[in-house]
Amino acid sequence: MKGTVVATWIQTARNVWGNEVTEKAMKKVGWQPDRLFSPTEDVDDAKPKGFVAEISALTGKTQDDIWLTIGKDNINTFFKIYPAFFKKENLYSFLRSMFDVHVIITKRSPGANPPELLIKPLSETEAMLSYRSQRGMF
């Protein structure tokens, strides 16, 4: 995965579980606590998964709970960085644009492998959302 998203996850960990827990988890996977990730840097998938596993062990929360917290915070983080992206007419438009952004990321960043987010309208008020991750993330 790309350094941008990993850096975001580390910042979330610092905000939610504090520097001590975050730095212990970073060291566990071989990262220095002051490590900076470049946006296009390729990070082996095992490292963030190990990072989350260590936070889970240190906090007593399940890995699923850790990922859920990280995912929710990602929304807030990206809203702060890209507020215009979130100014859509409705939720359908927002989710549709997420698909477009992931397509652009894949084209512009060699090695990027974001999840596939598909949304299909079923009626004026309903849609079916499919999320597919080759990494097994949900």
Side-chain angles (χ1 to χ4, degrees):
M1 55 194 68
K2 292 298 181 183
T4 299
V5 72
V6 175
T8 301
W9 294 345
I10 290 171
Q11 188 57 52
T12 293
R14 289 186 190 285
N15 294 341
V16 175
W17 299 288
N19 285 330
E20 185 178 342
V21 167
T22 302
E23 291 175 7
K24 283 181 182 179
M26 290 178 77
K27 288 177 184 176
K28 180 78 172 185
V29 297
W31 294 332
Q32 293 301 313
D34 60 350
R35 166 99 189 257
L36 297 176
F37 293 85
S38 71
T40 58
E41 175 181 354
D42 288 318
V43 179
D44 178 36
D45 288 0
K47 297 275 187 164
K49 289 180 179 181
F51 174 73
V52 166
E54 184 62 14
I55 291 174
S56 171
L58 292 168
T59 63
K61 297 186 180 295
T62 68
Q63 289 184 43
D64 286 346
D65 286 341
I66 302 298
W67 281 119
L68 180 61
T69 299
I70 288 172
K72 286 180 179 180
D73 194 71
N74 277 357
I75 294 168
N76 293 324
T77 299
F78 285 108
F79 176 76
K80 288 175 189 171
I81 297 169
Y82 309 106
F85 177 73
F86 289 82
K87 293 179 182 173
K88 302 292 180 191
E89 183 179 330
N90 53 44
L91 181 60
Y92 176 85
S93 297
F94 171 77
L95 292 170
R96 178 71 190 145
S97 67
M98 288 286 293
F99 172 81
D100 297 336
V101 167
H102 284 172
V103 168
I104 292 167
I105 290 169
T106 302
K107 288 179 181 177
R108 291 187 179 173
S109 298
N113 190 14
E116 185 177 55
L117 186 62
L118 303 172
I119 188 161
K120 176 183 175 185
L122 300 176
S123 72
E124 274 192 36
T125 59
E126 295 177 307
M128 181 181 297
L129 177 69
S130 298
Y131 179 91
R132 295 185 191 129
S133 169
Q134 293 179 0
R135 293 185 170 96
M137 301 181 87
F138 304 98

